[in-house]
Amino acid sequence: MMTTTSPPPVTEAMLLRDFSLEMTGKDTSKLDEARGAIPPGTRINVTYLGNENLQMRLDAARAVNGFGFVPVPHISARRLTSRDELKVFLAALREHDAQAQVFAVGGDPAQPHGPYADSLQIIRSGLLQEHGVRGVGIGGYPEGHPQISRETLWSALVEKADALAAEGLSGDIITQFGFDANAVLTWIEEVRGRDIELPIRVGVPGPAGVKRLMTYATRFGVGTSASIARKYGLSLTNLMGTTGPDRFLTALAAGYDAARHGEVKLHFYTFGGLDTTSRWIDAFRKGLK
């Protein structure tokens, strides 16, 4: 009689293979301090914030490249004032060999500053391939978005995945950070049910103060009910405490099934604590061995 064996259980260490990080232009000096704790070749996303200029973004991408990591510059569609501004940015990235992978997002402004209302228009612009871009990350929202309906989010995700394929670009999905591993896994199953096979990088909040995490969660519309907060390790009565994502990672690993969820990796939001997050990940990985 033929017997079958079940695949080995997924561990936190397996999910932590090929994780990615996020930094701002202001974190460039901190990258030098953090690099000893970051594996070579790690993807590091560089944000496109309103209080940063072109030089800050380029300096950050160049530093990422120079230290042996893979820069993934953000392109904030609604912050761009013109097609020429996008061309200048992409050309500058290419000059520093930092253009191969980008992350396209609509961005915070409610109204576009120029011709691009969303990241789909960036993908379809034709400028990415023209400047050597090969892969584009797009956003995912397992717990929804405070200003966008669920139906609109799903429609946009499908459209962007189809557009990447039509434009000959590879891609992945980077989710907004969250605290509820079950909600994330349920959302990933629905992504696969809609025939989207792009790799997914689950957004994870790096270790930070409880008050700071709650502030970011409120800002981005992330669910933080009392039960979820307790499960994650947040103390709603001690906002001065700190917490790391270890409970979230354990729950995510316990519920992850490659057959249902496909390719899943992790993306860490550092909230300005690039060195702290990098060292936390390094220590956590070593503790799993």
Side-chain angles (χ1 to χ4, degrees), residues 18-19 21 23 31-32 34-36 38-44 60-72 96-97:
D18 191 25
F19 67 87
L21 294 162
M23 64 176 281
L31 184 59
D32 190 17
R35 62 187 174 122
I38 305 173
T42 295
R43 292 164 60 109
I44 301 181
R62 186 168 51 190
V64 171
N65 222 0
F67 288 136
F69 309 122
V70 178
V72 184
H96 296 295
D97 194 26

Side-chain angles (χ1 to χ4, degrees), residues 45-257:
N45 286 37
V46 179
T47 57
Y48 195 109
L49 302 178
N51 59 358
E52 298 170 351
N53 57 34
L54 174 62
Q55 193 59 53
M56 290 176 68
R57 296 168 190 142
L58 291 177
D59 287 346
R62 186 168 51 190
V64 171
N65 222 0
F67 288 136
F69 309 122
V70 178
V72 184
H74 287 201
I75 300 174
S76 180
R78 287 190 288 274
R79 291 195 186 282
L80 293 165
T81 59
S82 67
R83 181 178 173 89
D84 282 344
E85 184 178 2
L86 176 57
K87 290 170 69 173
V88 167
F89 182 54
L90 292 171
L93 290 176
R94 188 169 197 170
E95 184 179 342
H96 296 295
D97 194 26
Q99 84 294 340
Q101 303 292 326
V102 300
F103 178 74
V105 64
D108 291 336
Q111 298 297 323
H113 295 172
Y116 303 110
D118 55 39
S119 57
L120 183 60
Q121 292 180 312
I122 299 294
I123 294 169
R124 289 175 171 166
S125 70
L127 293 176
L128 301 181
Q129 305 93 312
E130 191 177 304
H131 289 83
V133 175
R134 297 195 299 271
V136 181
I138 56 177
Y141 300 88
E143 297 189 44
H145 189 288
Q147 277 87 46
I148 306 174
S149 71
R150 172 183 168 85
E151 292 74 20
T152 300
L153 287 173
W154 280 118
S155 175
L157 189 64
V158 171
E159 278 192 283
K160 284 183 277 190
D162 289 345
L164 289 175
E167 297 289 337
L169 295 163
S170 64
D172 58 10
I173 300 169
I174 299 179
T175 77
Q176 181 55 271
F177 74 89
F179 304 113
D180 187 350
N182 291 332
V184 172
L185 291 167
T186 298
W187 179 85
I188 293 174
E189 278 196 75
E190 189 164 354
V191 171
R192 302 311 184 201
R194 293 172 185 262
D195 296 323
I196 300 174
E197 300 302 328
L198 295 173
I200 294 174
R201 290 183 177 271
V202 174
V204 181
V210 172
K211 185 176 182 179
R212 190 171 198 183
L213 282 176
M214 296 294 287
T215 299
Y216 276 103
T218 300
R219 176 183 171 188
F220 294 112
V222 176
T224 52
S225 69
S227 61
I228 295 300
R230 283 194 296 270
K231 186 186 295 185
Y232 186 84
L234 300 177
S235 173
L236 301 184
T237 58
N238 180 19
L239 296 180
M240 300 305 293
T242 59
T243 187
D246 47 319
R247 295 189 187 185
F248 177 82
L249 297 183
T250 299
L252 192 69
Y256 172 64
D257 177 1

Side-chain angles (χ1 to χ4, degrees), residues 15-21 37-39 41-44 201 265-268 277-278 281-282 285:
L15 282 178
L16 278 165
R17 294 172 184 165
D18 191 25
F19 67 87
S20 54
L21 294 162
I38 305 173
T42 295
R43 292 164 60 109
I44 301 181
R201 290 183 177 271
K265 299 177 182 180
L266 301 178
H267 177 77
F268 287 86
T277 299
S278 302
I281 297 169
D282 186 52
R285 293 174 77 202

